[in-house]
Amino acid sequence: MAFLKSLFAAKKAKFVEVQPFAARFEVPAGETVLEAALKAGVDFPHNCTVGTCGSCKCKLKSGRVNALTDFGYTLSQQEIAAGFILACQAIPRDELTELEVEVQAGSTPVATYQGRIVANDPLTHDIVRIGIELDRPLQFVAGQYANLKTADIERARNYSFADAPAAEGLKTVNFFIRKVPGGAFTEALFAGKLAQAAIEVEAPHGNFHLHESRGPMVCIAGGSGLAPLLSLLEDASRRRVERPCAMLFGARTQADLYCVDQINAIAKNWAGKFVFLPVLSHEAADSSWTGARGLVTQFITDAMPGIDWASAEGYMCGPPGMIDAGIASMTEVGMKLDAIFYDKFTDQSHIAKMP
Ligand SMILES: Cc1cc2nc3c(=O)[nH]c(=O)nc-3n(C[C@H](O)[C@H](O)[C@H](O)COP(=O)(O)OP(=O)(O)OC[C@H]3O[C@@H](n4cnc5c(N)ncnc54)[C@H](O)[C@@H]3O)c2cc1C
Ligand code: FES
């Protein structure tokens, strides 16, 4: 009887409330929270809309949602356990869902710039630095990223700014780009097909930035994930930020380390204590390397021994596996989950694999 009743009962409307916007809107059947929020005129942070970039990450305060794609591709287990979801992949299940979102302060509005690739310099065998000259100066916050799109690719790709920002904006911007086997954009770039190519730059995106605190900061970069951390550290160094800082750089071999002189220069000018610790995972046992060996995320306490971890902040950028391992290591030593900030360099291969 109860089953029949539920079958014939009119479907109850589903509403979502979002703080700090004080917004309340209905989510029609089959729509995601993000789709309904944008239709309702809510300025909900977002970018990719396919569960890859993490821009729409928000905290579920009450209610339940179904996930269109696994939140775990972009969010860590710890974040999912703490109630974080991706609004672009969330379908509400209950009559009321309450969400809280962090809004990036001080970011300039997203705009589209017309650019041209004017430099392409190898940094390692599979990472290049590309320089793009823009039609006008671009302002961003250190740590943010841009959507890059050439005429040959259907959708834009995300790349983090490698430069420290300037108050008046930058007319030429640099990115560190790693070659992804089988990747449409990076294969074309590495094959030299994009020299002097026209490129659309939509920016600034993302919420990865240095937070206000006096506590120690532990930064971990993997591969091309060094770009946003160089931007953030260079900017902090110029602003004379006075916090103990450890910079851990994970690479496979000595040949995969790059920009070491730039990191050493930041270390030298840093207003407080600065430890730079490169860690190699696949260096030949009989090589000349005398530094750390293993997985970079296992060296957090070596870089910062004896600190009060509850007051520390973590900043990480790079491959998804490294970020997940980093969050696990950082929370294990006592760092708070909400003091760990990252950009996971995901691609959209998980969508291709979906049934
Ligand atoms: C916030 C953010 C910031 C980032 N910043 C950087 C950065 O600074 N530097 C950097 O190097 N990267 C960065 N990335 C990653 C980058 O955006 C791209 O994902 C990456 O460069 C891949 O682009 P691509 O066009 O070469 O590959 P894609 O064409 O997107 O392909 C990616 C992978 O998916 C596979 N694939 C594609 N289509 C299919 C299909 N139909 N079936 C099966 N498999 C398929 C490809 O073989 C490849 O392995 C960032 C990502 C995010 C989310
Ligand atoms: S907008 Fe939701 S993950 Fe990118």
PDB file of all heavy atoms in Angstrom, residues 257-293:
ATOM      1  N   LEU A 257      64.142  17.170 -12.489  1.00  0.00           N
ATOM      2  CA  LEU A 257      64.115  18.374 -11.643  1.00  0.00           C
ATOM      3  C   LEU A 257      64.376  19.584 -12.539  1.00  0.00           C
ATOM      4  O   LEU A 257      65.204  19.524 -13.436  1.00  0.00           O
ATOM      5  CB  LEU A 257      65.210  18.296 -10.572  1.00  0.00           C
ATOM      6  CG  LEU A 257      65.027  17.251  -9.471  1.00  0.00           C
ATOM      7  CD1 LEU A 257      66.285  17.185  -8.598  1.00  0.00           C
ATOM      8  CD2 LEU A 257      63.802  17.581  -8.620  1.00  0.00           C
ATOM      9  N   TYR A 258      63.686  20.674 -12.300  1.00  0.00           N
ATOM     10  CA  TYR A 258      63.899  21.892 -13.102  1.00  0.00           C
ATOM     11  C   TYR A 258      63.576  23.107 -12.235  1.00  0.00           C
ATOM     12  O   TYR A 258      62.998  22.965 -11.148  1.00  0.00           O
ATOM     13  CB  TYR A 258      63.050  21.870 -14.387  1.00  0.00           C
ATOM     14  CG  TYR A 258      61.555  21.836 -14.128  1.00  0.00           C
ATOM     15  CD1 TYR A 258      60.798  23.012 -14.131  1.00  0.00           C
ATOM     16  CD2 TYR A 258      60.896  20.639 -13.845  1.00  0.00           C
ATOM     17  CE1 TYR A 258      59.441  22.991 -13.887  1.00  0.00           C
ATOM     18  CE2 TYR A 258      59.541  20.609 -13.587  1.00  0.00           C
ATOM     19  CZ  TYR A 258      58.812  21.787 -13.617  1.00  0.00           C
ATOM     20  OH  TYR A 258      57.465  21.760 -13.353  1.00  0.00           O
ATOM     21  N   CYS A 259      63.968  24.282 -12.706  1.00  0.00           N
ATOM     22  CA  CYS A 259      63.744  25.549 -11.981  1.00  0.00           C
ATOM     23  C   CYS A 259      64.345  25.512 -10.574  1.00  0.00           C
ATOM     24  O   CYS A 259      63.876  26.240  -9.676  1.00  0.00           O
ATOM     25  CB  CYS A 259      62.254  25.900 -11.887  1.00  0.00           C
ATOM     26  SG  CYS A 259      61.544  26.394 -13.451  1.00  0.00           S
ATOM     27  N   VAL A 260      65.359  24.702 -10.380  1.00  0.00           N
ATOM     28  CA  VAL A 260      65.979  24.573  -9.047  1.00  0.00           C
ATOM     29  C   VAL A 260      66.635  25.900  -8.639  1.00  0.00           C
ATOM     30  O   VAL A 260      66.543  26.316  -7.474  1.00  0.00           O
ATOM     31  CB  VAL A 260      66.981  23.396  -9.065  1.00  0.00           C
ATOM     32  CG1 VAL A 260      67.867  23.398  -7.841  1.00  0.00           C
ATOM     33  CG2 VAL A 260      66.216  22.078  -9.156  1.00  0.00           C
ATOM     34  N   ASP A 261      67.273  26.580  -9.605  1.00  0.00           N
ATOM     35  CA  ASP A 261      67.907  27.879  -9.288  1.00  0.00           C
ATOM     36  C   ASP A 261      66.852  28.887  -8.824  1.00  0.00           C
ATOM     37  O   ASP A 261      67.096  29.675  -7.904  1.00  0.00           O
ATOM     38  CB  ASP A 261      68.643  28.441 -10.515  1.00  0.00           C
ATOM     39  CG  ASP A 261      69.883  27.618 -10.832  1.00  0.00           C
ATOM     40  OD1 ASP A 261      70.274  26.794  -9.968  1.00  0.00           O
ATOM     41  OD2 ASP A 261      70.438  27.783 -11.937  1.00  0.00           O
ATOM     42  N   GLN A 262      65.690  28.842  -9.480  1.00  0.00           N
ATOM     43  CA  GLN A 262      64.609  29.788  -9.110  1.00  0.00           C
ATOM     44  C   GLN A 262      64.109  29.490  -7.690  1.00  0.00           C
ATOM     45  O   GLN A 262      63.869  30.422  -6.900  1.00  0.00           O
ATOM     46  CB  GLN A 262      63.469  29.653 -10.123  1.00  0.00           C
ATOM     47  CG  GLN A 262      62.564  30.862 -10.161  1.00  0.00           C
ATOM     48  CD  GLN A 262      61.460  30.714 -11.208  1.00  0.00           C
ATOM     49  OE1 GLN A 262      61.623  30.000 -12.201  1.00  0.00           O
ATOM     50  NE2 GLN A 262      60.352  31.379 -10.984  1.00  0.00           N
ATOM     51  N   ILE A 263      63.997  28.216  -7.354  1.00  0.00           N
ATOM     52  CA  ILE A 263      63.534  27.869  -5.990  1.00  0.00           C
ATOM     53  C   ILE A 263      64.603  28.291  -4.971  1.00  0.00           C
ATOM     54  O   ILE A 263      64.272  28.855  -3.915  1.00  0.00           O
ATOM     55  CB  ILE A 263      63.246  26.357  -5.859  1.00  0.00           C
ATOM     56  CG1 ILE A 263      62.212  25.917  -6.889  1.00  0.00           C
ATOM     57  CG2 ILE A 263      62.759  26.016  -4.442  1.00  0.00           C
ATOM     58  CD1 ILE A 263      62.012  24.405  -6.989  1.00  0.00           C
ATOM     59  N   ASN A 264      65.877  28.061  -5.307  1.00  0.00           N
ATOM     60  CA  ASN A 264      66.957  28.463  -4.391  1.00  0.00           C
ATOM     61  C   ASN A 264      66.975  29.983  -4.194  1.00  0.00           C
ATOM     62  O   ASN A 264      67.239  30.466  -3.088  1.00  0.00           O
ATOM     63  CB  ASN A 264      68.306  27.974  -4.912  1.00  0.00           C
ATOM     64  CG  ASN A 264      68.503  26.486  -4.612  1.00  0.00           C
ATOM     65  OD1 ASN A 264      67.999  25.980  -3.597  1.00  0.00           O
ATOM     66  ND2 ASN A 264      69.192  25.783  -5.490  1.00  0.00           N
ATOM     67  N   ALA A 265      66.646  30.727  -5.270  1.00  0.00           N
ATOM     68  CA  ALA A 265      66.620  32.203  -5.154  1.00  0.00           C
ATOM     69  C   ALA A 265      65.473  32.631  -4.236  1.00  0.00           C
ATOM     70  O   ALA A 265      65.618  33.544  -3.403  1.00  0.00           O
ATOM     71  CB  ALA A 265      66.481  32.826  -6.544  1.00  0.00           C
ATOM     72  N   ILE A 266      64.325  31.963  -4.366  1.00  0.00           N
ATOM     73  CA  ILE A 266      63.185  32.278  -3.477  1.00  0.00           C
ATOM     74  C   ILE A 266      63.590  31.966  -2.030  1.00  0.00           C
ATOM     75  O   ILE A 266      63.349  32.755  -1.112  1.00  0.00           O
ATOM     76  CB  ILE A 266      61.926  31.461  -3.881  1.00  0.00           C
ATOM     77  CG1 ILE A 266      61.388  31.938  -5.227  1.00  0.00           C
ATOM     78  CG2 ILE A 266      60.835  31.575  -2.807  1.00  0.00           C
ATOM     79  CD1 ILE A 266      60.278  31.068  -5.831  1.00  0.00           C
ATOM     80  N   ALA A 267      64.258  30.810  -1.842  1.00  0.00           N
ATOM     81  CA  ALA A 267      64.687  30.389  -0.491  1.00  0.00           C
ATOM     82  C   ALA A 267      65.606  31.456   0.120  1.00  0.00           C
ATOM     83  O   ALA A 267      65.488  31.797   1.307  1.00  0.00           O
ATOM     84  CB  ALA A 267      65.402  29.048  -0.573  1.00  0.00           C
ATOM     85  N   LYS A 268      66.504  31.991  -0.711  1.00  0.00           N
ATOM     86  CA  LYS A 268      67.491  32.966  -0.221  1.00  0.00           C
ATOM     87  C   LYS A 268      66.830  34.278   0.219  1.00  0.00           C
ATOM     88  O   LYS A 268      67.215  34.889   1.216  1.00  0.00           O
ATOM     89  CB  LYS A 268      68.487  33.247  -1.359  1.00  0.00           C
ATOM     90  CG  LYS A 268      69.811  33.762  -0.898  1.00  0.00           C
ATOM     91  CD  LYS A 268      70.839  33.731  -1.999  1.00  0.00           C
ATOM     92  CE  LYS A 268      71.826  34.836  -1.725  1.00  0.00           C
ATOM     93  NZ  LYS A 268      72.317  35.443  -2.929  1.00  0.00           N
ATOM     94  N   ASN A 269      65.778  34.678  -0.534  1.00  0.00           N
ATOM     95  CA  ASN A 269      65.117  35.966  -0.239  1.00  0.00           C
ATOM     96  C   ASN A 269      63.960  35.838   0.745  1.00  0.00           C
ATOM     97  O   ASN A 269      63.337  36.833   1.094  1.00  0.00           O
ATOM     98  CB  ASN A 269      64.562  36.578  -1.541  1.00  0.00           C
ATOM     99  CG  ASN A 269      65.676  36.938  -2.482  1.00  0.00           C
ATOM    100  OD1 ASN A 269      66.769  37.298  -2.035  1.00  0.00           O
ATOM    101  ND2 ASN A 269      65.437  36.825  -3.780  1.00  0.00           N
ATOM    102  N   TRP A 270      63.644  34.604   1.148  1.00  0.00           N
ATOM    103  CA  TRP A 270      62.459  34.374   2.003  1.00  0.00           C
ATOM    104  C   TRP A 270      62.639  35.068   3.351  1.00  0.00           C
ATOM    105  O   TRP A 270      63.720  35.014   3.935  1.00  0.00           O
ATOM    106  CB  TRP A 270      62.253  32.874   2.193  1.00  0.00           C
ATOM    107  CG  TRP A 270      60.919  32.493   2.759  1.00  0.00           C
ATOM    108  CD1 TRP A 270      60.657  32.085   4.024  1.00  0.00           C
ATOM    109  CD2 TRP A 270      59.667  32.472   2.052  1.00  0.00           C
ATOM    110  NE1 TRP A 270      59.321  31.806   4.158  1.00  0.00           N
ATOM    111  CE2 TRP A 270      58.679  32.035   2.967  1.00  0.00           C
ATOM    112  CE3 TRP A 270      59.281  32.781   0.744  1.00  0.00           C
ATOM    113  CZ2 TRP A 270      57.336  31.907   2.615  1.00  0.00           C
ATOM    114  CZ3 TRP A 270      57.945  32.649   0.389  1.00  0.00           C
ATOM    115  CH2 TRP A 270      56.992  32.222   1.322  1.00  0.00           C
ATOM    116  N   ALA A 271      61.568  35.677   3.856  1.00  0.00           N
ATOM    117  CA  ALA A 271      61.673  36.477   5.083  1.00  0.00           C
ATOM    118  C   ALA A 271      61.843  35.618   6.344  1.00  0.00           C
ATOM    119  O   ALA A 271      62.279  36.102   7.379  1.00  0.00           O
ATOM    120  CB  ALA A 271      60.448  37.371   5.216  1.00  0.00           C
ATOM    121  N   GLY A 272      61.493  34.336   6.294  1.00  0.00           N
ATOM    122  CA  GLY A 272      61.653  33.456   7.458  1.00  0.00           C
ATOM    123  C   GLY A 272      62.496  32.249   7.086  1.00  0.00           C
ATOM    124  O   GLY A 272      63.261  32.282   6.124  1.00  0.00           O
ATOM    125  N   LYS A 273      62.304  31.155   7.837  1.00  0.00           N
ATOM    126  CA  LYS A 273      63.047  29.924   7.542  1.00  0.00           C
ATOM    127  C   LYS A 273      62.444  29.253   6.299  1.00  0.00           C
ATOM    128  O   LYS A 273      61.217  29.168   6.162  1.00  0.00           O
ATOM    129  CB  LYS A 273      62.935  28.983   8.753  1.00  0.00           C
ATOM    130  CG  LYS A 273      63.721  27.721   8.577  1.00  0.00           C
ATOM    131  CD  LYS A 273      63.581  26.813   9.780  1.00  0.00           C
ATOM    132  CE  LYS A 273      64.274  25.494   9.453  1.00  0.00           C
ATOM    133  NZ  LYS A 273      64.050  24.458  10.383  1.00  0.00           N
ATOM    134  N   PHE A 274      63.296  28.792   5.380  1.00  0.00           N
ATOM    135  CA  PHE A 274      62.813  28.138   4.160  1.00  0.00           C
ATOM    136  C   PHE A 274      63.632  26.884   3.913  1.00  0.00           C
ATOM    137  O   PHE A 274      64.863  26.924   3.849  1.00  0.00           O
ATOM    138  CB  PHE A 274      62.961  29.086   2.958  1.00  0.00           C
ATOM    139  CG  PHE A 274      62.218  28.637   1.715  1.00  0.00           C
ATOM    140  CD1 PHE A 274      61.055  29.283   1.305  1.00  0.00           C
ATOM    141  CD2 PHE A 274      62.690  27.579   0.943  1.00  0.00           C
ATOM    142  CE1 PHE A 274      60.371  28.868   0.165  1.00  0.00           C
ATOM    143  CE2 PHE A 274      62.009  27.168  -0.203  1.00  0.00           C
ATOM    144  CZ  PHE A 274      60.845  27.820  -0.599  1.00  0.00           C
ATOM    145  N   VAL A 275      62.953  25.741   3.800  1.00  0.00           N
ATOM    146  CA  VAL A 275      63.646  24.474   3.512  1.00  0.00           C
ATOM    147  C   VAL A 275      63.218  24.001   2.124  1.00  0.00           C
ATOM    148  O   VAL A 275      62.013  23.912   1.846  1.00  0.00           O
ATOM    149  CB  VAL A 275      63.247  23.387   4.549  1.00  0.00           C
ATOM    150  CG1 VAL A 275      63.907  22.053   4.235  1.00  0.00           C
ATOM    151  CG2 VAL A 275      63.582  23.842   5.959  1.00  0.00           C
ATOM    152  N   PHE A 276      64.190  23.730   1.263  1.00  0.00           N
ATOM    153  CA  PHE A 276      63.876  23.174  -0.058  1.00  0.00           C
ATOM    154  C   PHE A 276      64.334  21.721  -0.081  1.00  0.00           C
ATOM    155  O   PHE A 276      65.507  21.433   0.151  1.00  0.00           O
ATOM    156  CB  PHE A 276      64.582  23.984  -1.151  1.00  0.00           C
ATOM    157  CG  PHE A 276      64.472  23.360  -2.526  1.00  0.00           C
ATOM    158  CD1 PHE A 276      63.309  22.726  -2.942  1.00  0.00           C
ATOM    159  CD2 PHE A 276      65.544  23.414  -3.412  1.00  0.00           C
ATOM    160  CE1 PHE A 276      63.212  22.145  -4.203  1.00  0.00           C
ATOM    161  CE2 PHE A 276      65.460  22.838  -4.683  1.00  0.00           C
ATOM    162  CZ  PHE A 276      64.287  22.201  -5.072  1.00  0.00           C
ATOM    163  N   LEU A 277      63.395  20.804  -0.342  1.00  0.00           N
ATOM    164  CA  LEU A 277      63.724  19.384  -0.305  1.00  0.00           C
ATOM    165  C   LEU A 277      63.250  18.679  -1.580  1.00  0.00           C
ATOM    166  O   LEU A 277      62.076  18.311  -1.699  1.00  0.00           O
ATOM    167  CB  LEU A 277      63.076  18.745   0.931  1.00  0.00           C
ATOM    168  CG  LEU A 277      63.372  17.278   1.186  1.00  0.00           C
ATOM    169  CD1 LEU A 277      64.858  17.005   1.372  1.00  0.00           C
ATOM    170  CD2 LEU A 277      62.622  16.799   2.428  1.00  0.00           C
ATOM    171  N   PRO A 278      64.164  18.483  -2.556  1.00  0.00           N
ATOM    172  CA  PRO A 278      63.794  17.675  -3.723  1.00  0.00           C
ATOM    173  C   PRO A 278      63.842  16.188  -3.365  1.00  0.00           C
ATOM    174  O   PRO A 278      64.747  15.764  -2.641  1.00  0.00           O
ATOM    175  CB  PRO A 278      64.868  18.021  -4.764  1.00  0.00           C
ATOM    176  CG  PRO A 278      65.962  18.716  -4.038  1.00  0.00           C
ATOM    177  CD  PRO A 278      65.540  18.997  -2.626  1.00  0.00           C
ATOM    178  N   VAL A 279      62.854  15.423  -3.843  1.00  0.00           N
ATOM    179  CA  VAL A 279      62.783  13.986  -3.525  1.00  0.00           C
ATOM    180  C   VAL A 279      62.616  13.204  -4.828  1.00  0.00           C
ATOM    181  O   VAL A 279      61.706  13.500  -5.620  1.00  0.00           O
ATOM    182  CB  VAL A 279      61.580  13.693  -2.591  1.00  0.00           C
ATOM    183  CG1 VAL A 279      61.538  12.215  -2.215  1.00  0.00           C
ATOM    184  CG2 VAL A 279      61.632  14.553  -1.323  1.00  0.00           C
ATOM    185  N   LEU A 280      63.501  12.220  -5.046  1.00  0.00           N
ATOM    186  CA  LEU A 280      63.460  11.448  -6.293  1.00  0.00           C
ATOM    187  C   LEU A 280      62.912  10.045  -6.048  1.00  0.00           C
ATOM    188  O   LEU A 280      63.348   9.356  -5.120  1.00  0.00           O
ATOM    189  CB  LEU A 280      64.863  11.361  -6.898  1.00  0.00           C
ATOM    190  CG  LEU A 280      65.539  12.710  -7.176  1.00  0.00           C
ATOM    191  CD1 LEU A 280      66.894  12.498  -7.839  1.00  0.00           C
ATOM    192  CD2 LEU A 280      64.653  13.603  -8.053  1.00  0.00           C
ATOM    193  N   SER A 281      61.986   9.617  -6.916  1.00  0.00           N
ATOM    194  CA  SER A 281      61.345   8.310  -6.706  1.00  0.00           C
ATOM    195  C   SER A 281      61.978   7.192  -7.532  1.00  0.00           C
ATOM    196  O   SER A 281      61.876   6.030  -7.172  1.00  0.00           O
ATOM    197  CB  SER A 281      59.855   8.391  -7.039  1.00  0.00           C
ATOM    198  OG  SER A 281      59.692   8.799  -8.384  1.00  0.00           O
ATOM    199  N   HIS A 282      62.625   7.535  -8.669  1.00  0.00           N
ATOM    200  CA  HIS A 282      63.137   6.479  -9.552  1.00  0.00           C
ATOM    201  C   HIS A 282      64.598   6.714  -9.941  1.00  0.00           C
ATOM    202  O   HIS A 282      65.028   6.297 -11.023  1.00  0.00           O
ATOM    203  CB  HIS A 282      62.286   6.398 -10.829  1.00  0.00           C
ATOM    204  CG  HIS A 282      60.926   5.842 -10.607  1.00  0.00           C
ATOM    205  ND1 HIS A 282      59.919   6.558  -9.987  1.00  0.00           N
ATOM    206  CD2 HIS A 282      60.398   4.626 -10.887  1.00  0.00           C
ATOM    207  CE1 HIS A 282      58.830   5.816  -9.926  1.00  0.00           C
ATOM    208  NE2 HIS A 282      59.096   4.640 -10.460  1.00  0.00           N
ATOM    209  N   GLU A 283      65.358   7.378  -9.104  1.00  0.00           N
ATOM    210  CA  GLU A 283      66.765   7.636  -9.421  1.00  0.00           C
ATOM    211  C   GLU A 283      67.565   6.323  -9.266  1.00  0.00           C
ATOM    212  O   GLU A 283      67.334   5.566  -8.300  1.00  0.00           O
ATOM    213  CB  GLU A 283      67.308   8.718  -8.453  1.00  0.00           C
ATOM    214  CG  GLU A 283      68.745   9.082  -8.634  1.00  0.00           C
ATOM    215  CD  GLU A 283      69.041   9.860  -9.919  1.00  0.00           C
ATOM    216  OE1 GLU A 283      68.095  10.185 -10.673  1.00  0.00           O
ATOM    217  OE2 GLU A 283      70.223  10.118 -10.166  1.00  0.00           O
ATOM    218  N   ALA A 284      68.471   6.067 -10.219  1.00  0.00           N
ATOM    219  CA  ALA A 284      69.261   4.820 -10.163  1.00  0.00           C
ATOM    220  C   ALA A 284      70.026   4.766  -8.839  1.00  0.00           C
ATOM    221  O   ALA A 284      70.576   5.784  -8.381  1.00  0.00           O
ATOM    222  CB  ALA A 284      70.230   4.780 -11.339  1.00  0.00           C
ATOM    223  N   ALA A 285      70.042   3.564  -8.249  1.00  0.00           N
ATOM    224  CA  ALA A 285      70.637   3.384  -6.915  1.00  0.00           C
ATOM    225  C   ALA A 285      72.121   3.789  -6.905  1.00  0.00           C
ATOM    226  O   ALA A 285      72.614   4.299  -5.895  1.00  0.00           O
ATOM    227  CB  ALA A 285      70.486   1.931  -6.489  1.00  0.00           C
ATOM    228  N   ASP A 286      72.830   3.604  -8.034  1.00  0.00           N
ATOM    229  CA  ASP A 286      74.280   3.876  -8.064  1.00  0.00           C
ATOM    230  C   ASP A 286      74.599   5.268  -8.627  1.00  0.00           C
ATOM    231  O   ASP A 286      75.731   5.529  -9.018  1.00  0.00           O
ATOM    232  CB  ASP A 286      74.992   2.796  -8.885  1.00  0.00           C
ATOM    233  CG  ASP A 286      74.450   2.710 -10.304  1.00  0.00           C
ATOM    234  OD1 ASP A 286      73.448   3.417 -10.592  1.00  0.00           O
ATOM    235  OD2 ASP A 286      75.010   1.950 -11.115  1.00  0.00           O
ATOM    236  N   SER A 287      73.605   6.161  -8.683  1.00  0.00           N
ATOM    237  CA  SER A 287      73.873   7.496  -9.256  1.00  0.00           C
ATOM    238  C   SER A 287      74.548   8.397  -8.224  1.00  0.00           C
ATOM    239  O   SER A 287      74.711   8.037  -7.056  1.00  0.00           O
ATOM    240  CB  SER A 287      72.569   8.144  -9.718  1.00  0.00           C
ATOM    241  OG  SER A 287      71.953   8.802  -8.629  1.00  0.00           O
ATOM    242  N   SER A 288      74.888   9.629  -8.670  1.00  0.00           N
ATOM    243  CA  SER A 288      75.589  10.582  -7.804  1.00  0.00           C
ATOM    244  C   SER A 288      74.649  11.261  -6.792  1.00  0.00           C
ATOM    245  O   SER A 288      75.093  12.023  -5.938  1.00  0.00           O
ATOM    246  CB  SER A 288      76.226  11.665  -8.678  1.00  0.00           C
ATOM    247  OG  SER A 288      75.193  12.306  -9.415  1.00  0.00           O
ATOM    248  N   TRP A 289      73.340  10.990  -6.891  1.00  0.00           N
ATOM    249  CA  TRP A 289      72.353  11.686  -6.045  1.00  0.00           C
ATOM    250  C   TRP A 289      72.515  11.307  -4.573  1.00  0.00           C
ATOM    251  O   TRP A 289      72.482  10.134  -4.215  1.00  0.00           O
ATOM    252  CB  TRP A 289      70.947  11.317  -6.523  1.00  0.00           C
ATOM    253  CG  TRP A 289      69.826  11.969  -5.737  1.00  0.00           C
ATOM    254  CD1 TRP A 289      68.978  11.365  -4.865  1.00  0.00           C
ATOM    255  CD2 TRP A 289      69.444  13.343  -5.773  1.00  0.00           C
ATOM    256  NE1 TRP A 289      68.079  12.261  -4.364  1.00  0.00           N
ATOM    257  CE2 TRP A 289      68.343  13.493  -4.895  1.00  0.00           C
ATOM    258  CE3 TRP A 289      69.917  14.469  -6.459  1.00  0.00           C
ATOM    259  CZ2 TRP A 289      67.710  14.726  -4.693  1.00  0.00           C
ATOM    260  CZ3 TRP A 289      69.289  15.693  -6.261  1.00  0.00           C
ATOM    261  CH2 TRP A 289      68.206  15.814  -5.381  1.00  0.00           C
ATOM    262  N   THR A 290      72.707  12.326  -3.727  1.00  0.00           N
ATOM    263  CA  THR A 290      72.868  12.051  -2.300  1.00  0.00           C
ATOM    264  C   THR A 290      71.649  12.548  -1.495  1.00  0.00           C
ATOM    265  O   THR A 290      71.626  12.442  -0.272  1.00  0.00           O
ATOM    266  CB  THR A 290      74.137  12.756  -1.751  1.00  0.00           C
ATOM    267  OG1 THR A 290      74.024  14.145  -2.072  1.00  0.00           O
ATOM    268  CG2 THR A 290      75.400  12.170  -2.332  1.00  0.00           C
ATOM    269  N   GLY A 291      70.685  13.125  -2.229  1.00  0.00           N
ATOM    270  CA  GLY A 291      69.500  13.684  -1.553  1.00  0.00           C
ATOM    271  C   GLY A 291      68.462  12.619  -1.239  1.00  0.00           C
ATOM    272  O   GLY A 291      68.728  11.422  -1.288  1.00  0.00           O
ATOM    273  N   ALA A 292      67.234  13.091  -0.932  1.00  0.00           N
ATOM    274  CA  ALA A 292      66.151  12.197  -0.505  1.00  0.00           C
ATOM    275  C   ALA A 292      65.661  11.330  -1.659  1.00  0.00           C
ATOM    276  O   ALA A 292      65.603  11.773  -2.809  1.00  0.00           O
ATOM    277  CB  ALA A 292      64.997  13.030   0.045  1.00  0.00           C
ATOM    278  N   ARG A 293      65.291  10.104  -1.329  1.00  0.00           N
ATOM    279  CA  ARG A 293      64.757   9.146  -2.311  1.00  0.00           C
ATOM    280  C   ARG A 293      63.466   8.561  -1.764  1.00  0.00           C
ATOM    281  O   ARG A 293      63.388   8.219  -0.587  1.00  0.00           O
ATOM    282  CB  ARG A 293      65.742   7.988  -2.516  1.00  0.00           C
ATOM    283  CG  ARG A 293      67.018   8.351  -3.243  1.00  0.00           C
ATOM    284  CD  ARG A 293      67.998   7.190  -3.156  1.00  0.00           C
ATOM    285  NE  ARG A 293      69.282   7.518  -3.756  1.00  0.00           N
ATOM    286  CZ  ARG A 293      69.622   7.225  -5.000  1.00  0.00           C
ATOM    287  NH1 ARG A 293      68.785   6.556  -5.765  1.00  0.00           N
ATOM    288  NH2 ARG A 293      70.808   7.566  -5.463  1.00  0.00           N
TER     289      ARG A 293
END
